[in-house]
Amino acid sequence: MASESSAAKREILPASYYEPFISEASKARKPSPIRGLYPLESIPGMISLLAGKPAPQTFPVTSISVNVRSPFDPTKETQLTIKDEALAESLQYTATKGISSLLNWVDGLQKIYHNRYSGDEGWSISVGTGSQDLLYKAFNALLNPGDPIFIEAPVYGGVIPILQALKCELVEVPTDAEGVKTADLRSMLESWPESRPRPRVIYTVPYGCNPTGTTASLERRKELLSLARQYHFLILEDDPYYYLYYGEQERPPSYFKLEAEDGHPVGQVLRFDSLSKILSAGRFALLGYHVFE
């Protein structure tokens, strides 16, 4: 696990780097005037009438209890109860990007599995109702109607309707048993016509890719990351199967982890994660989040 001091030494891409990546629709969006004033509520003694928040003691739900099966012994269960302040927080209006306690937990998960620390690296976390929800938002934030985008072929079918609705040009990059064929991608980039807009984004599922089942090799991951830096495109790492890796070899690092290990500035990867495959696939229990620079 990286210490805060070591993570702080990592160079990060400047905010100006991302200006060409933001869609016109996203640039036109303005912050909510109400939510922009939320920080004022933390002033001691402040009585806020800002967002029409109901008094927590008026909520009809007083506690929520669930039984959780042990991941080590399926015959054993533990009862978890949400009440008092935790329940009030979960029922109340909160920050757009998610409940702070949940965000802190997800942040800690990034430290454990990807050796990343948000405190001094300039990235943040946004929680949604699933990766699909967040993919939709990310595509709309990064792509204008008609823009080209690199997609691995074959690609996860769930993103096709989103990209078609944006009228994007889908530029297919071949794959094989090691993932995206980076030699083919390099050839495409080197021969790309100057008069034609080059894709600013590549979408990939690096672990157990749907529909091929392929897990990208470490060598291919490094090559793709190198190309992203050289040709200035972002890697959208959609990783719902990360926690289901059963390979005999050591699990390759995520792109999010890998980009922080070779001394280059971090910020080339937009990571999408999910607990839907290990916690619940139900709509209301589905947890998705993305980590963005």
Side-chain angles (χ1 to χ4, degrees):
M1 183 184 303
S3 66
E4 295 185 14
S5 58
S6 63
K9 297 178 182 178
R10 292 173 181 158
E11 184 181 356
I12 61 176
L13 291 170
S16 58
Y17 178 83
Y18 300 100
E19 291 179 5
F21 294 95
I22 306 302
S23 69
E24 293 303 318
S26 189
K27 290 177 181 177
R29 293 191 179 100
K30 305 298 181 184
S32 166
I34 293 178
R35 291 184 176 269
L37 295 173
Y38 270 8
L40 297 178
E41 294 186 326
S42 62
I43 298 176
M46 174 67 70
I47 299 176
S48 175
L49 304 178
L50 182 63
K53 293 183 177 180
Q57 59 267 30
T58 66
F59 291 138
V61 180
T62 59
S63 68
I64 298 175
S65 296
V66 294
N67 292 334
V68 181
R69 183 183 297 113
S70 168
F72 307 105
D73 184 351
T75 65
K76 296 181 178 180
E77 294 185 354
T78 299
Q79 186 177 74
L80 302 178
T81 300
I82 305 172
K83 60 182 181 178
D84 301 331
E85 292 183 4
L87 180 62
E89 181 185 33
S90 67
L91 297 176
Q92 190 59 274
Y93 290 110
T94 58
T96 301
K97 62 182 180 179
I99 296 174
S100 59
S101 56
L102 176 59
L103 293 172
N104 291 335
W105 181 85
V106 176
D107 190 9
L109 202 65
Q110 310 313 303
K111 298 178 189 177
I112 294 171
Y113 285 99
H114 308 292
N115 208 7
R116 299 294 298 272
Y117 174 67
S118 66
D120 296 295
E121 290 186 10
W123 53 268
S124 185
I125 295 167
S126 181
V127 175
T129 58
S131 291
Q132 194 83 1
D133 166 54
L134 294 168
L135 284 167
Y136 172 83
K137 292 171 181 175
F139 286 139
N140 277 270
L142 296 173
L143 299 168
N144 294 307
D147 276 355
I149 177 175
F150 286 127
I151 58 171
E152 54 193 6
V155 69
Y156 165 54
V159 302
I160 294 177
I162 302 175
L163 297 174
Q164 288 178 335
L166 281 170
K167 296 181 171 56
C168 290
E169 177 189 356
L170 307 185
V171 182
E172 297 184 349
V173 183
T175 60
D176 59 16
E178 292 189 67
V180 172
K181 297 179 71 172
T182 47
D184 288 20
L185 177 57
R186 179 179 293 279
S187 178
M188 295 167 66
L189 289 164
E190 290 176 345
S191 60
W192 199 270
E194 291 185 7
S195 59
R196 182 182 172 196
R198 195 167 60 209
R200 304 187 304 274
V201 171
I202 185 170
Y203 170 78
T204 181
V205 181
Y207 284 101
C209 179
N210 182 350
T212 64
T214 299
T215 292
S217 67
L218 176 59
E219 182 180 2
R220 291 285 180 84
R221 292 171 191 249
K222 289 181 176 180
E223 291 172 351
L224 182 58
L225 186 56
S226 177
L227 288 173
R229 288 167 171 154
Q230 181 181 351
Y231 289 95
H232 303 292
F233 60 84
L234 300 180
I235 298 175
L236 269 58
E237 180 180 32
D238 186 11
D239 219 355
Y241 309 109
Y242 178 81
Y243 301 106
L244 295 179
Y245 179 71
Y246 297 112
E248 295 181 358
Q249 303 299 321
E250 181 179 357
R251 176 169 53 189
S254 65
Y255 285 109
F256 188 56
K257 180 178 182 180
L258 197 60
E259 73 161 347
E261 293 184 339
D262 56 7
H264 288 84
V266 297
Q268 211 74 41
V269 178
L270 179 62
R271 177 172 174 79
F272 300 82
D273 214 330
S274 176
L275 300 182
S276 62
K277 310 305 177 186
I278 59 174
L279 182 60
S280 171
R283 177 180 177 84
F284 297 104
L286 182 63
L287 170 66
Y289 56 90
H290 68 223
V291 183
F292 57 92
E293 307 289 347

